[in-house]
Structure formats: C-alpha cells, structure tokens
Amino acid sequence: MDPEKAWVIQEAEYQLALGSDTFKFMLRPYKNKYAGTDVHTEEGPPHSEPVHSLVDRAKNVESFRKILDMPFRYTMIWAFPVAGLNNDQTGIYTGKAAGINLGDGYSKAEAKVEYRELYDFTRYLIEKYQNTGRSFLIGNWEGDWVLLADQEHLPQNKGKENKRAFEPSQEKIEAMRAWFANRQKAIEDARNSLPDAKGVHVYHYVEVNHFENAMDDIPDNGDARLVNAVLPNIKVDAVSYSAWNGTNQTKELPGRLHKHLQFIEDHAQFTGEWPFEKAVFVGEYGRKKGAETTKCINAAASWGCPFTLYWCIIPNYPTNNHYMVEKDGSLTESYMAHHEALAKIVCQRDVYRLFLGKNPTEKELNVLLANFQNTEVSSVLAAAINSPEFVARISDSDFVAALLVQLLVDQGESKQLLGTFLNKITTGELSRFQVLLELMDSDEFKTAVNDREFSAWICTRVLNNEDPASRESVLSSLSSTARSQVWKSALNSPGFGSAILKARFQNTQADYKDWIYENSTSDTVYQHFSVDFRGILK
C-alpha cells in the first residue's frame, strides 16, 4: 500500500482493475492504520471549504470527490449526517449512528437535520452526475446492531451475555422505523424534485444483518429484529443483507443463504423504484479461501441477487482475514475468484452484443454466475452462435459464406466448402460453432494463413499480448495441437479475461471522471471474438 495515498482511493482503484462496476464506501473520515496509511481526513486539498454537511464532504474532501467521480456504474454509500457527528468512530457500532443516539428515540430535531443533509446530498448527486448512466445507493451499516445497542439494561435482557439474544424495546423499534422512513423520504423527495434529470439514479437501502433468532421464532430469544419488526412497517427501495450468518456455513450453501434472502424478501415492503427483479442483495460477506468465495457467489446468483459485495479489498483491522489484496499488493484467492467471475460476465455481455445485438438479461447473467467456475468462455460463445436468436439474425448460408471470407479461403474453393458445410448444418451433423472449428482446422485455411501468422493473430488480436515469447510459445503448440483447440484455449485463459476487462472503458488515459463505459460493440470486442483475418496479414 502507498502510505502517501488515501487507502479508500487505493481500494477503489483495485476494484476497477478487478473488473467490478460496483464500489461501496463510507462517506465519513475513517483511519486504517493497519493498511499503513492515515486515510482521507477532513482537510482535503489546499484552500478547500470547511465540511458542515454531506454535500460539503462530497465536494471539498479530495478523496471522496475522486471516488464519486470514478466510473463505477453503482456506487454504494454509507451516509450519515455530518452535523453533530460524534468523532468516536465506534458510533455506527453502538447505535449512535453519525451522532444520532437512537437509544433515546429519534427526535424531530435529529430527523430534520438528517432529512436536509440526505435531501441535499441526493440532489447534488443527481445534478452532478446526470446523463452518466450511473446509480448511487445510499444506506446504513448493519442495522440490527443499531437496533440492539443500549438494550442491555432492559428487564428482558438481564443475564443475557450475548447481544444476539437481546430483545429490543418497542420504543427502540419505533425509533428505527422513524429513522429509516425519514431517510427514505429525504431521498424520494429529492428524486421527485428533479423530474427532468435523466441518466442518473439514487436509491435508498436498509441493511440488516442478524435475524436467525427471528426466523426460529423462539420467544424472548431475540425474535424481534429489523426484518420482522421494522421492515414490514416502512417502504424502502431495497434491502441489503450483511450475510455473514447466511454464508459462514459454506457446506449448507446455497440453501442456507436462499432461506435467509427469501425471509427478507417475504417481510420487506418495497417502493417499486428498484430496477432489478430482486430488491434484496448481499451487501457484505467474506470467506478466505477462493473455493468458499466461489460457493458464496454461486449461491447469491442462483437466488437472483443483483449485487454480491465482498468484505473487503484490503485488511482494515488486525484480525480480519477476509480481504482481496495483501498490504504488499499481492492478490488473494478471493481476488482471483472475483476476477474470474467478473471476466466471464463481461465476456458474456460482449458476446451477446456482438452476435445477438443485445445485453444479457438479468436471469442469463445470474445463470452464468451460479456456475461461472465451470463455464468456459468458448462455451458462452458457442451457445450464442448456435442460438435461435442468432439464427434469426443471419441465415446458415450467409453465416458459412461470411466465415469463408473472414478466413481468407480461396474463392475457387469457397463454393464447394459452402455447400459441404451448409449441408452438415441442415442435416444436424454439425452446429454452427462446430463448422467454425472445422474450418479453422481445414487445409484451405492453413493455405491462406500459415502457423506463424495464426500464432501472431492469437497473441495480438485475441489476447492483446505483444510479447514475442508468447507468440513463439503459441507457434510451438501448433505442432501438436489443432488450431481450433489453441484458439479455444486462448479464449478460456486468464489472460483473455484480463484483456477483456481492460477493454471495458474508453478514454482511460484521462481523469477517472472522463472515463466512458463501452456501451456498444467496439472494434476491440470484434477482434476478441470474431475469426476475421481480413486486413491483418502482412
């Protein structure tokens, strides 16, 4: 870690490099001495204005301003009012969230301050980032701990050593209802105040974290929690689940996590503003081993979670062993698991855009993530090329004819090959993708493109790798391996995934705020997935 650079910025940069289009952070000073650097303090750049509100903090503190400018499609923010903020960083743990002590209720004065700050902050985000296609999600950290804070003195909790078994008072439950309802209203009112703003969205979510006792419905054993005592009485855009309880027994996945997520969905009331099919997502989980991380991603996707967020990028306290990047910059198993998953969903997106003229549906994305570790990129490509949707876009005859042209097959031989392969497709002997593979291995193609030229194409066009040694390695493999297999192996390699992720943005040499998501089928995507040799041979 760079001791001269705010660790929250370094986390965000690792997240971008990982391939994620989502980042979550706390809009609040928080030092991470374990990372070897004092994080984003309130001073900001020289001559910055003082910080009296969330808007001030977003505008005047350099690290926060830079994060908000970064080109994440979805930016999740723990946001609490600045006014009256208690400098004790344990506030979110004790229930004194951002200086609001919900243990003594939620006063009108507190509600007024929080409403104004969230309202102004929401308007700021909408006005500044309109027409970017970005979404901001404003929420809280693990609300059940706030609900249970300051409840040990109650008669029903006497003698209970574990806070997890506490029963909150009705007054605390009412305060939590009022708190979340006020936050939702502030964000909704701000959204409604700017009806002409386009291309930007701001949502409010509530995060829950501990409700197993509520699911068991054991009286006087912690059976009143946010999920069943607060959420049924208010409406929110979405609910985040800090899913440590839901994922800590990986042998019980996916069933354990599915049960928890469904319990939340069954009890929550939603506004209907959320753009995804499921309005419940995993806002936090963590496993040290890559295989366990993979199982968690699979489980969340197979239920339909639109987001599954890992805790965390870099270690933030001495006993934390759930992180992606070591202090020396080396990458953990969990990082590599996420990198593989993200690379494959970006590949799926690019393949769908190139061959089907659309983005994958939410369901298609989750089907891939539910088994990404066993899904090869070449299989995703094959499925698209063989799909009825692609058949409807281009006839079998035109498909084979186009392949012959792209593979530089001699025109005198093309007519006979066209008839041969068209017949094989028509009779069901070969699929379209199998035709592509056979043509790639054909003598006619080898006559048009020699092995050295083919190996150069694999490295420079498919893998974006200009290393001469890599080119020689591919060339050597062709002596014993079919071209089609070499090509599929390239598509399924980690290097291909990295190349795909680097092509997600345009204009990456500029400041982060000027990075542009690639929303169309770019020339780079075409080069990655098509077998077109026209104009590239010297």
Side-chain angles (χ1 to χ4, degrees), residues 25-28 54 76-82 92 97-100 102 106 110-122 137-143 146 175-191 202-207 234-237 271:
F25 73 104
M26 180 164 60
L27 189 59
R28 179 178 182 179
L54 288 170
M76 299 188 183
I77 308 167
W78 288 341
F80 306 102
V82 173
I92 57 174
I100 298 173
L102 296 176
Y106 189 49
E110 290 170 327
K112 183 178 180 180
V113 168
E114 185 158 27
Y115 176 94
R116 174 49 59 185
E117 287 204 32
L118 287 176
Y119 178 92
D120 290 343
F121 182 50
T122 300
L137 290 72
I138 298 174
N140 63 289
W141 173 85
E142 296 190 346
V146 180
M176 296 294 289
R177 291 173 181 173
W179 185 42
F180 289 130
N182 185 55
R183 288 166 65 86
Q184 177 70 39
K185 179 173 172 53
I187 292 168
E188 275 190 25
D189 288 352
R191 288 194 305 233
V202 181
Y203 303 102
H204 169 244
Y205 71 87
V206 168
E207 184 167 272
I234 60 174
K235 281 191 174 184
V236 295
D237 294 327
T271 62

Side-chain angles (χ1 to χ4, degrees), residues 361-378:
T361 64
E362 192 176 337
K363 181 178 180 179
E364 289 167 334
L365 169 64
N366 280 323
V367 167
L368 173 61
L369 282 177
N371 193 33
F372 73 88
Q373 70 277 19
N374 297 314
T375 304
E376 295 183 322
V377 172
S378 60

Side-chain angles (χ1 to χ4, degrees), residues 206 208 226-240 261-271 279-280:
V206 168
V208 302
L226 288 187
V227 68
N228 61 339
V230 175
L231 292 183
N233 298 89
I234 60 174
K235 281 191 174 184
V236 295
D237 294 327
V239 177
S240 167
L261 293 168
Q262 194 60 50
F263 190 78
I264 297 170
E265 185 178 69
D266 290 344
H267 286 78
Q269 300 289 323
F270 300 109
T271 62
V280 181

Side-chain angles (χ1 to χ4, degrees), residues 403-416:
L403 281 179
L404 292 168
V405 171
Q406 291 169 355
L407 293 174
L408 306 182
V409 173
D410 182 83
Q411 290 185 356
E413 299 169 324
S414 291
K415 186 174 181 180
Q416 181 179 349

Side-chain angles (χ1 to χ4, degrees), residues 274-530:
W274 191 245
F276 301 100
E277 181 179 343
K278 295 285 191 180
V280 181
F281 61 90
V282 173
E284 189 176 315
Y285 83 99
R287 307 306 301 164
K288 184 176 183 179
K289 296 181 179 179
E292 293 182 339
T293 297
T294 294
K295 289 192 72 172
C296 293
I297 296 172
N298 294 160
S302 60
W303 185 80
C305 279
F307 300 102
T308 305
L309 278 69
Y310 186 86
W311 180 278
C312 52
I313 305 297
I314 59 177
N316 62 338
Y317 54 88
T319 59
N320 177 18
N321 61 359
H322 304 111
Y323 51 86
M324 293 188 180
V325 182
E326 301 281 2
K327 287 189 288 185
D328 63 3
S330 57
L331 306 176
T332 66
E333 291 182 14
S334 289
Y335 181 100
M336 298 313 298
H338 282 86
H339 184 274
E340 180 184 356
L342 291 164
K344 287 180 177 177
I345 64 175
V346 173
C347 286
Q348 180 194 52
R349 180 204 68 183
D350 288 346
V351 165
Y352 272 53
R353 287 178 176 177
L354 180 60
F355 291 94
L356 306 182
K358 67 169 192 176
N359 286 320
T361 64
E362 192 176 337
K363 181 178 180 179
E364 289 167 334
L365 169 64
N366 280 323
V367 167
L368 173 61
L369 282 177
N371 193 33
F372 73 88
Q373 70 277 19
N374 297 314
T375 304
E376 295 183 322
V377 172
S378 60
S379 298
V380 174
L381 179 59
I385 290 176
N386 294 334
S387 70
E389 291 173 280
F390 187 53
V391 171
R393 300 189 80 202
I394 182 172
S395 69
D396 291 337
S397 178
D398 287 344
F399 172 74
V400 177
L403 281 179
L404 292 168
V405 171
Q406 291 169 355
L407 293 174
L408 306 182
V409 173
D410 182 83
Q411 290 185 356
E413 299 169 324
S414 291
K415 186 174 181 180
Q416 181 179 349
L417 289 173
L418 175 61
T420 298
F421 283 108
L422 184 58
N423 181 63
K424 290 184 176 183
I425 293 175
T426 303
T427 61
E429 180 181 346
L430 295 178
S431 69
R432 287 186 172 193
F433 191 71
Q434 289 170 326
V435 166
L436 187 161
L437 299 181
E438 286 208 7
L439 278 172
M440 188 174 281
D441 292 332
S442 68
D443 291 337
E444 290 83 359
F445 177 53
K446 291 178 182 178
T447 299
V449 178
N450 64 42
D451 282 352
R452 184 167 292 278
E453 291 167 335
F454 182 80
S455 63
W457 174 78
I458 287 286
C459 290
T460 59
R461 299 296 287 267
V462 178
L463 297 175
N464 281 359
N465 185 346
E466 300 289 344
D467 180 19
S470 297
R471 191 176 303 185
E472 290 300 317
S473 176
V474 173
L475 179 61
S476 176
S477 71
L478 290 171
S479 64
S480 59
T481 309
R483 288 184 175 190
S484 62
Q485 186 58 47
V486 170
W487 176 57
K488 288 200 299 180
S489 295
L491 291 177
N492 298 327
S493 68
F496 183 74
S498 297
I500 284 292
L501 291 175
K502 289 178 181 178
R504 291 181 305 139
F505 296 101
Q506 301 174 12
N507 201 33
T508 55
Q509 300 303 313
D511 291 338
Y512 285 117
K513 64 182 179 180
D514 295 320
W515 285 24
I516 301 172
Y517 261 101
E518 184 59 75
N519 289 313
S520 59
T521 304
S522 66
D523 291 342
T524 301
V525 168
Y526 181 82
Q527 293 168 13
H528 281 311
F529 291 104
S530 66

